[in-house]
mmCIF file of all heavy atoms in Angstrom:
data_model
loop_
_atom_site.group_PDB
_atom_site.id
_atom_site.type_symbol
_atom_site.label_atom_id
_atom_site.label_comp_id
_atom_site.label_asym_id
_atom_site.label_seq_id
_atom_site.Cartn_x
_atom_site.Cartn_y
_atom_site.Cartn_z
ATOM 1 N N PRO A 2 -11.051 11.273 -21.456
ATOM 2 C CA PRO A 2 -10.557 9.950 -21.061
ATOM 3 C C PRO A 2 -10.204 9.930 -19.579
ATOM 4 O O PRO A 2 -9.835 10.953 -18.987
ATOM 5 C CB PRO A 2 -9.308 9.778 -21.934
ATOM 6 C CG PRO A 2 -8.877 11.172 -22.269
ATOM 7 C CD PRO A 2 -10.141 11.967 -22.383
ATOM 8 N N PRO A 4 -7.983 9.115 -16.225
ATOM 9 C CA PRO A 4 -6.565 8.977 -15.917
ATOM 10 C C PRO A 4 -6.167 7.504 -16.002
ATOM 11 O O PRO A 4 -6.966 6.616 -15.692
ATOM 12 C CB PRO A 4 -6.461 9.498 -14.484
ATOM 13 C CG PRO A 4 -7.637 10.388 -14.309
ATOM 14 C CD PRO A 4 -8.730 9.779 -15.136
ATOM 15 N N PHE A 9 0.193 -3.102 -9.847
ATOM 16 C CA PHE A 9 0.403 -4.528 -9.612
ATOM 17 C C PHE A 9 -0.240 -4.805 -8.263
ATOM 18 O O PHE A 9 0.233 -4.332 -7.233
ATOM 19 C CB PHE A 9 1.885 -4.901 -9.594
ATOM 20 C CG PHE A 9 2.156 -6.337 -9.250
ATOM 21 C CD1 PHE A 9 1.707 -7.359 -10.074
ATOM 22 C CD2 PHE A 9 2.857 -6.673 -8.098
ATOM 23 C CE1 PHE A 9 1.956 -8.688 -9.756
ATOM 24 C CE2 PHE A 9 3.105 -7.999 -7.777
ATOM 25 C CZ PHE A 9 2.654 -9.005 -8.609
ATOM 26 N N ARG A 17 -1.703 0.858 -1.536
ATOM 27 C CA ARG A 17 -2.155 2.044 -0.834
ATOM 28 C C ARG A 17 -2.689 3.094 -1.802
ATOM 29 O O ARG A 17 -3.603 3.845 -1.467
ATOM 30 C CB ARG A 17 -1.055 2.593 0.071
ATOM 31 C CG ARG A 17 0.191 3.157 -0.569
ATOM 32 C CD ARG A 17 1.178 3.497 0.556
ATOM 33 N NE ARG A 17 2.396 4.120 0.102
ATOM 34 C CZ ARG A 17 3.410 4.411 0.925
ATOM 35 N NH1 ARG A 17 3.345 4.115 2.227
ATOM 36 N NH2 ARG A 17 4.496 4.986 0.478
ATOM 37 N N ALA A 46 5.701 5.202 -19.789
ATOM 38 C CA ALA A 46 4.918 6.105 -18.934
ATOM 39 C C ALA A 46 5.608 6.423 -17.624
ATOM 40 O O ALA A 46 5.581 7.567 -17.164
ATOM 41 C CB ALA A 46 3.548 5.496 -18.660
ATOM 42 N N SER A 49 10.343 5.807 -13.353
ATOM 43 C CA SER A 49 11.103 4.857 -12.536
ATOM 44 C C SER A 49 10.859 3.410 -12.943
ATOM 45 O O SER A 49 11.517 2.509 -12.425
ATOM 46 C CB SER A 49 10.730 5.027 -11.062
ATOM 47 O OG SER A 49 9.369 4.676 -10.858
ATOM 48 N N GLN A 75 -8.994 15.424 -4.694
ATOM 49 C CA GLN A 75 -10.236 15.461 -5.461
ATOM 50 C C GLN A 75 -11.445 15.251 -4.542
ATOM 51 O O GLN A 75 -12.482 15.891 -4.704
ATOM 52 C CB GLN A 75 -10.248 14.362 -6.545
ATOM 53 C CG GLN A 75 -8.963 14.144 -7.319
ATOM 54 C CD GLN A 75 -8.402 15.385 -7.951
ATOM 55 O OE1 GLN A 75 -9.131 16.126 -8.619
ATOM 56 N NE2 GLN A 75 -7.108 15.634 -7.746
ATOM 57 N N ASP A 77 -12.101 13.731 -0.297
ATOM 58 C CA ASP A 77 -11.580 13.112 0.928
ATOM 59 C C ASP A 77 -12.733 12.913 1.912
ATOM 60 O O ASP A 77 -12.795 13.539 2.964
ATOM 61 C CB ASP A 77 -10.492 13.999 1.529
ATOM 62 C CG ASP A 77 -9.800 13.379 2.745
ATOM 63 O OD1 ASP A 77 -9.936 12.150 2.952
ATOM 64 O OD2 ASP A 77 -9.140 14.125 3.489
ATOM 65 N N GLN A 79 -13.577 10.679 4.062
ATOM 66 C CA GLN A 79 -13.327 10.165 5.402
ATOM 67 C C GLN A 79 -12.274 10.971 6.156
ATOM 68 O O GLN A 79 -11.868 10.588 7.256
ATOM 69 C CB GLN A 79 -12.920 8.688 5.322
ATOM 70 C CG GLN A 79 -14.039 7.792 4.793
ATOM 71 C CD GLN A 79 -13.676 6.324 4.821
ATOM 72 O OE1 GLN A 79 -12.699 5.901 5.447
ATOM 73 N NE2 GLN A 79 -14.476 5.510 4.149
ATOM 74 N N ASP A 96 8.351 3.948 5.387
ATOM 75 C CA ASP A 96 8.921 3.812 4.053
ATOM 76 C C ASP A 96 10.441 3.715 4.071
ATOM 77 O O ASP A 96 11.040 3.282 3.076
ATOM 78 C CB ASP A 96 8.505 5.007 3.194
ATOM 79 C CG ASP A 96 7.031 4.976 2.829
ATOM 80 O OD1 ASP A 96 6.294 4.137 3.374
ATOM 81 O OD2 ASP A 96 6.615 5.800 1.992
ATOM 82 N N TYR A 106 14.191 -9.090 5.542
ATOM 83 C CA TYR A 106 13.559 -10.225 6.215
ATOM 84 C C TYR A 106 12.788 -11.082 5.222
ATOM 85 O O TYR A 106 12.966 -12.300 5.156
ATOM 86 C CB TYR A 106 12.649 -9.675 7.312
ATOM 87 C CG TYR A 106 11.648 -10.633 7.916
ATOM 88 C CD1 TYR A 106 12.023 -11.905 8.353
ATOM 89 C CD2 TYR A 106 10.310 -10.232 8.089
ATOM 90 C CE1 TYR A 106 11.080 -12.767 8.923
ATOM 91 C CE2 TYR A 106 9.386 -11.082 8.668
ATOM 92 C CZ TYR A 106 9.762 -12.347 9.073
ATOM 93 O OH TYR A 106 8.835 -13.196 9.637
ATOM 94 N N THR A 119 17.556 -10.895 12.596
ATOM 95 C CA THR A 119 17.956 -9.580 13.099
ATOM 96 C C THR A 119 17.139 -8.479 12.431
ATOM 97 O O THR A 119 16.693 -7.533 13.093
ATOM 98 C CB THR A 119 19.455 -9.351 12.843
ATOM 99 O OG1 THR A 119 20.207 -10.347 13.522
ATOM 100 C CG2 THR A 119 19.889 -7.971 13.337
ATOM 101 N N GLU A 120 16.938 -8.615 11.127
ATOM 102 C CA GLU A 120 16.145 -7.622 10.400
ATOM 103 C C GLU A 120 14.695 -7.635 10.863
ATOM 104 O O GLU A 120 14.055 -6.587 10.979
ATOM 105 C CB GLU A 120 16.233 -7.878 8.896
ATOM 106 C CG GLU A 120 17.633 -7.758 8.320
ATOM 107 C CD GLU A 120 18.239 -6.372 8.482
ATOM 108 O OE1 GLU A 120 17.480 -5.373 8.486
ATOM 109 O OE2 GLU A 120 19.475 -6.270 8.598
ATOM 110 N N ARG A 121 14.170 -8.822 11.144
ATOM 111 C CA ARG A 121 12.802 -8.921 11.662
ATOM 112 C C ARG A 121 12.682 -8.190 12.998
ATOM 113 O O ARG A 121 11.682 -7.500 13.251
ATOM 114 C CB ARG A 121 12.408 -10.387 11.820
ATOM 115 C CG ARG A 121 10.968 -10.587 12.276
ATOM 116 C CD ARG A 121 10.591 -12.047 12.284
ATOM 117 N NE ARG A 121 11.230 -12.776 13.389
ATOM 118 C CZ ARG A 121 11.079 -14.076 13.627
ATOM 119 N NH1 ARG A 121 10.328 -14.809 12.806
ATOM 120 N NH2 ARG A 121 11.678 -14.650 14.650
ATOM 121 N N ALA A 124 12.570 -4.472 12.349
ATOM 122 C CA ALA A 124 11.246 -4.074 11.876
ATOM 123 C C ALA A 124 10.234 -4.098 13.023
ATOM 124 O O ALA A 124 9.330 -3.261 13.083
ATOM 125 C CB ALA A 124 10.800 -4.994 10.744
ATOM 126 N N ALA A 126 10.593 -3.277 16.019
ATOM 127 C CA ALA A 126 10.659 -2.076 16.865
ATOM 128 C C ALA A 126 9.651 -1.027 16.385
ATOM 129 O O ALA A 126 9.038 -0.327 17.197
ATOM 130 C CB ALA A 126 12.077 -1.513 16.853
ATOM 131 N N GLU A 132 2.060 -0.260 18.316
ATOM 132 C CA GLU A 132 1.278 -0.893 19.384
ATOM 133 C C GLU A 132 0.979 0.109 20.494
ATOM 134 O O GLU A 132 -0.162 0.190 20.989
ATOM 135 C CB GLU A 132 2.048 -2.095 19.948
ATOM 136 C CG GLU A 132 1.389 -2.794 21.116
ATOM 137 C CD GLU A 132 0.118 -3.549 20.734
ATOM 138 O OE1 GLU A 132 -0.103 -3.806 19.537
ATOM 139 O OE2 GLU A 132 -0.660 -3.873 21.658
ATOM 140 N N ALA A 133 1.972 0.879 20.874
ATOM 141 C CA ALA A 133 1.774 1.875 21.924
ATOM 142 C C ALA A 133 0.783 2.953 21.482
ATOM 143 O O ALA A 133 -0.054 3.402 22.272
ATOM 144 C CB ALA A 133 3.117 2.504 22.302
ATOM 145 N N ALA A 140 -7.191 3.965 15.936
ATOM 146 C CA ALA A 140 -6.336 4.334 14.815
ATOM 147 C C ALA A 140 -5.095 5.036 15.364
ATOM 148 O O ALA A 140 -4.994 5.304 16.567
ATOM 149 C CB ALA A 140 -7.086 5.221 13.840
ATOM 150 N N PHE A 142 -4.017 8.050 15.090
ATOM 151 C CA PHE A 142 -4.180 9.418 15.592
ATOM 152 C C PHE A 142 -5.634 9.701 15.952
ATOM 153 O O PHE A 142 -6.211 10.692 15.530
ATOM 154 C CB PHE A 142 -3.667 10.424 14.560
ATOM 155 C CG PHE A 142 -2.194 10.300 14.291
ATOM 156 C CD1 PHE A 142 -1.739 9.665 13.145
ATOM 157 C CD2 PHE A 142 -1.262 10.781 15.191
ATOM 158 C CE1 PHE A 142 -0.383 9.524 12.895
ATOM 159 C CE2 PHE A 142 0.104 10.651 14.961
ATOM 160 C CZ PHE A 142 0.544 10.024 13.806
ATOM 161 N N ARG A 144 -9.766 8.135 16.718
ATOM 162 C CA ARG A 144 -10.752 7.078 16.500
ATOM 163 C C ARG A 144 -10.894 6.694 15.032
ATOM 164 O O ARG A 144 -11.359 5.602 14.721
ATOM 165 C CB ARG A 144 -12.111 7.529 17.038
ATOM 166 C CG ARG A 144 -12.137 7.765 18.551
ATOM 167 C CD ARG A 144 -13.527 8.076 19.034
ATOM 168 N NE ARG A 144 -14.451 6.977 18.758
ATOM 169 C CZ ARG A 144 -15.764 7.024 18.998
ATOM 170 N NH1 ARG A 144 -16.307 8.128 19.499
ATOM 171 N NH2 ARG A 144 -16.534 5.991 18.720
ATOM 172 N N LEU A 154 -0.530 0.524 6.667
ATOM 173 C CA LEU A 154 -1.146 -0.800 6.806
ATOM 174 C C LEU A 154 -0.734 -1.799 5.717
ATOM 175 O O LEU A 154 -0.484 -2.974 6.045
ATOM 176 C CB LEU A 154 -2.665 -0.667 6.865
ATOM 177 C CG LEU A 154 -3.235 -0.456 8.270
ATOM 178 C CD1 LEU A 154 -4.644 0.120 8.213
ATOM 179 C CD2 LEU A 154 -3.217 -1.758 9.073
ATOM 180 N N PHE A 156 2.037 -2.249 4.338
ATOM 181 C CA PHE A 156 3.377 -2.760 4.628
ATOM 182 C C PHE A 156 3.378 -3.626 5.886
ATOM 183 O O PHE A 156 4.131 -4.602 5.971
ATOM 184 C CB PHE A 156 4.358 -1.594 4.745
ATOM 185 C CG PHE A 156 4.509 -0.851 3.454
ATOM 186 C CD1 PHE A 156 3.708 0.240 3.167
ATOM 187 C CD2 PHE A 156 5.415 -1.281 2.498
ATOM 188 C CE1 PHE A 156 3.811 0.909 1.958
ATOM 189 C CE2 PHE A 156 5.537 -0.627 1.279
ATOM 190 C CZ PHE A 156 4.730 0.466 1.012
ATOM 191 N N GLN A 169 1.225 -13.456 14.636
ATOM 192 C CA GLN A 169 0.044 -13.473 15.502
ATOM 193 C C GLN A 169 0.355 -13.934 16.917
ATOM 194 O O GLN A 169 -0.488 -13.785 17.807
ATOM 195 C CB GLN A 169 -1.034 -14.347 14.867
ATOM 196 C CG GLN A 169 -1.609 -13.742 13.589
ATOM 197 C CD GLN A 169 -2.640 -14.615 12.922
ATOM 198 O OE1 GLN A 169 -2.658 -15.838 13.102
ATOM 199 N NE2 GLN A 169 -3.509 -14.010 12.129
ATOM 200 N N LYS A 191 -12.626 -3.988 -1.822
ATOM 201 C CA LYS A 191 -12.834 -3.282 -3.081
ATOM 202 C C LYS A 191 -11.501 -2.951 -3.748
ATOM 203 O O LYS A 191 -11.335 -3.141 -4.964
ATOM 204 C CB LYS A 191 -13.631 -2.005 -2.826
ATOM 205 C CG LYS A 191 -14.077 -1.281 -4.090
ATOM 206 C CD LYS A 191 -15.037 -0.152 -3.741
ATOM 207 C CE LYS A 191 -15.629 0.466 -5.012
ATOM 208 N NZ LYS A 191 -16.615 1.524 -4.702
#
Side-chain angles (χ1 to χ4, degrees):
F9 176 63
R17 67 186 183 184
S49 65
Q75 318 307 311
D77 185 16
Q79 295 185 13
D96 289 9
Y106 166 49
T119 299
E120 298 299 329
R121 183 174 73 181
E132 177 69 17
F142 296 102
R144 296 185 61 185
L154 272 161
F156 296 92
Q169 292 178 336
K191 188 171 187 177

